[in-house]
Amino acid sequence: MSLPSSAELSALALETARRCGVDVDAIAGDVTTRSPINGGQVASLAWQGIADVDIAVERAEAAFREWRRVPAPARGALVKRFGELLVEHQDDLATLVSVEAGKITSEARGEIQEMVDICEFAVGLSRQLYGRTMPSERPGHRLMETWHPLGVVGVISAFNFPAAVWSWNTAVALVCGDPVIWKPSELTPLTSLACHAVLAQAIAEAGAPAALSQVLLGGPEVGEALVGHPGVALLSATGSTRMGRTVGPRVAERFGRSLLELGGNNAAVVTGSADLDLAVRGIVFSAAGTAGQRCTTMRRVIAHTSIVDELTDRLASAYDRLPIGDPMAAGTLVGPLINGRAYDALDAAISLATGEGGTLVAGGGRALEDVAPDAYYARPSIVRIEKQTEVVTRETFAPLLYVLPYDDFASAIDLNNAVPQGLSSSVFTSDNAEAELFLSAEGSDCGIVNVNIGTSGAEIGGAFGGEKETGGGRESGSDAWRAYMRRATNTINYSGELPLAQGVDFTV
C-alpha cells in the first residue's frame, strides 16, 4: 500500500484552505504542522500569543454590545447562511479533517454534516428561546423569567473533532447573542482557519460585526490566557480530564462559567438475549471507528458469561478484517493515530492489561510501519480480561477494547459504573426489563445511555455530555442553549398597590 507524499498532502491542504477563503500567504509562519497520514509536514503557520487574547476579547466585547441588540430570529438568519455555506464547502472541509486529523472520508464528511445539522437546529432555536410565566402569590402581579445574551464565549477544542465541536458551541452561541473566540487544537489549524473563513463570509454577507467569530492559533499559553480572562463569560473546553482539572477551578475562581467535555471510558453491556449480529456491528464501529479517538469510543464490553466466548470470537474475526490505511482511500475503515504518543499509550496499556491477567485476542502492534515510519497506524486491539483491573478503568485514547464477563445484570451495571468517567454507555438486549433498568436511576450513571446501538454517533438533537470526571457539561441540542444565556426573574406589579411577598408587613 502506498500513501500520499508530504508534498501532495501539503498542496492539497493549502489549496483546499484557499477555496474556503483562507489567505494562506497571510498566515505563513515558522510553526510546522504535520499530517498523521504520513507524518510529513503540511504547512508552516504563524502562531499568536497571550497579548492577542486581550485584543480578541476586547473586539468580541464590542461586537457583543451590538449583536445582543439584534433580534434572535435575525441572528438565526446568519446561522442559516453559515449552514448553507458549509454545504457548499463540505468536501473541502472534510478533506482538511482527513489530512490533519486522519479521519476516513465518510467520517470526515459526517463531521461536516454534523455542523450543518447544528446550524439547522440553531435556526429553529432562534425562535424558541422561551422563558416561563409563573403565578404570583400577590394579587395584581405577574412573575416571569426572561433569557438574555450572556457575553463572550471561549471555545477550546481537541484534534479529534476539529470542526464539529466548535460548531456546536458557535451556532448556538450566535443565536443566543454571543460572540465566540476559538482556540483550536495545535494539530488541526488549517481546518479551524477554513471553518472560521466560511463563517466570516456569512457574517460579512449579513453585515454583522466581524469580531463575532475569531480564531487564535497558538500553544497552551494562549488557551490558558483565554481560560483566565475575566472578559470570557463562558469557557467551553473539550479535552482530557487532566485538562479539566486545571480549567474548571481557574474559571470558577473568577466566577465565570465553564462547560467541560472531558474523558470517557464507555462500555456496552451485552446480555444473554442480545442480537449478536447487531451487537458486533455496533461494537466494532464504536470501538474501532476514528481509530478509537472519540471521547465516545467504546472501550469496554461487559458480556454475559453465556455469550462472552462467542462474542469475543466474532469481534476478533471482525477486527482481523478491518482495512487499515490511507484514510482518504476508498474502502479504508481505520486510519492513523494522531501521533506517536498516542501509539505509545496504546502499547503501554496493552502491556499493563496482559500483565494484569488479560489476553490479547486481536490486534496489537503497528501497521504500515515500512510504508510510513513517521506515521502511526495501529491495529485495533481486543484484550479479554476477567476483572476490571486498574488499567481498564483508565481512558486509553486509541483503538483498545476490553472484554469482561458478568453473571447477573446488577453486576454488569456495577461494572459499567465502576470507572471515574461517565460519558456514554449502551446495552444490547432483547429483554425490555433489562433495557428499562439500564435507563433508570438504578442503571447507567452516564450522560448518554443507549439501547441496542453503540456508545458513539450521538445526534445533535440531544444534549451531549457526561457526568463524574467527564465534567458535567452539555452541548448541542435539547436545552443546552441555556448555558449561553443569562436568566432574569421579573416581577411586574400592575395592581397600584404594594403588597409584599410572604405576607410581610412593613407599613411606615
Side-chain angles (χ1 to χ4, degrees), residues 214-226:
Q214 298 178 77
V215 61
L216 296 171
L217 299 185
E221 70 281 358
V222 173
E224 290 169 6
L226 195 62

Side-chain angles (χ1 to χ4, degrees), residues 130 132 145 147 257 479-487:
Y130 299 138
R132 296 184 178 91
E145 66 180 21
W147 292 84
R257 295 188 195 178
D479 64 350
W481 62 270
R482 295 180 181 221
Y484 304 85
M485 304 196 82
R486 62 178 178 87
R487 184 200 317 243

Side-chain angles (χ1 to χ4, degrees), residues 6-29 33 41-45 92 95-96 99-100 189-191 193-194:
S6 295
E8 290 171 331
L9 286 176
S10 178
L12 173 64
L14 293 174
E15 179 56 35
T16 302
R18 285 191 185 95
R19 285 199 298 270
C20 293
V22 178
D23 185 345
V24 172
D25 295 328
I27 61 172
T33 65
Q41 179 175 331
V42 173
S44 293
L45 305 176
D92 290 333
T95 295
L96 291 172
V99 171
E100 291 194 312
L190 288 177
T191 300
L193 290 170

Side-chain angles (χ1 to χ4, degrees), residues 297-470:
T297 290
M298 190 182 298
R299 311 206 179 278
R300 296 173 295 143
V301 167
I302 302 164
H304 192 265
T305 51
S306 63
I307 53 92
V308 65
D309 291 337
E310 179 184 356
L311 179 63
T312 302
D313 289 344
R314 292 178 66 166
L315 289 172
S317 176
Y319 269 45
D320 288 342
R321 300 192 304 273
L322 286 172
I324 305 169
D326 178 2
M328 294 190 290
T332 300
L333 293 181
V334 180
L337 292 174
I338 191 66
N339 53 33
R341 290 190 303 276
Y343 177 77
D344 290 343
L346 169 64
D347 193 49
I350 292 173
S351 295
L352 283 171
T354 53
E356 293 175 350
T359 302
L360 183 67
V361 297
R366 290 172 65 180
L368 307 181
E369 189 173 4
D370 55 336
V371 176
D374 295 325
Y376 292 85
Y377 291 82
R379 295 184 179 87
S381 303
I382 300 173
V383 171
R384 171 75 181 271
I385 193 164
E386 297 304 308
K387 295 181 179 179
Q388 193 155 270
T389 61
E390 195 275 335
V391 69
V392 180
T393 65
R394 301 183 201 168
E395 180 188 41
T396 300
F397 213 65
L400 174 57
L401 180 67
Y402 300 103
V403 179
L404 303 103
Y406 80 89
D407 291 311
D408 63 274
F409 196 63
S411 65
I413 292 174
D414 289 343
L415 282 171
N416 177 80
N417 297 346
V419 293
Q421 313 84 359
L423 178 53
S424 187
S425 58
S426 66
V427 62
F428 287 90
T429 181
S430 297
D431 185 323
N432 188 61
E434 289 177 330
E436 292 292 340
L437 181 58
F438 196 71
L439 296 171
S440 76
E442 302 172 64
S444 170
D445 63 2
C446 295
I448 299 170
V449 187
N450 298 330
V451 177
N452 289 328
I453 62 170
T455 56
S456 60
E459 299 180 34
I460 58 90
F464 181 91
E467 303 301 324
K468 301 189 296 189
E469 288 190 1
T470 301

Side-chain angles (χ1 to χ4, degrees), residues 60-101:
E61 289 176 328
F64 173 64
R65 289 190 289 272
E66 181 178 345
W67 189 240
R68 67 184 176 182
R69 297 197 301 266
V70 176
R75 301 194 296 251
L78 186 157
V79 175
K80 180 180 179 182
R81 179 57 180 149
F82 178 40
E84 292 169 348
L85 291 171
L86 287 172
V87 172
E88 293 179 20
H89 290 284
Q90 184 167 17
D91 288 338
D92 290 333
L93 293 172
T95 295
L96 291 172
V97 170
S98 291
V99 171
E100 291 194 312

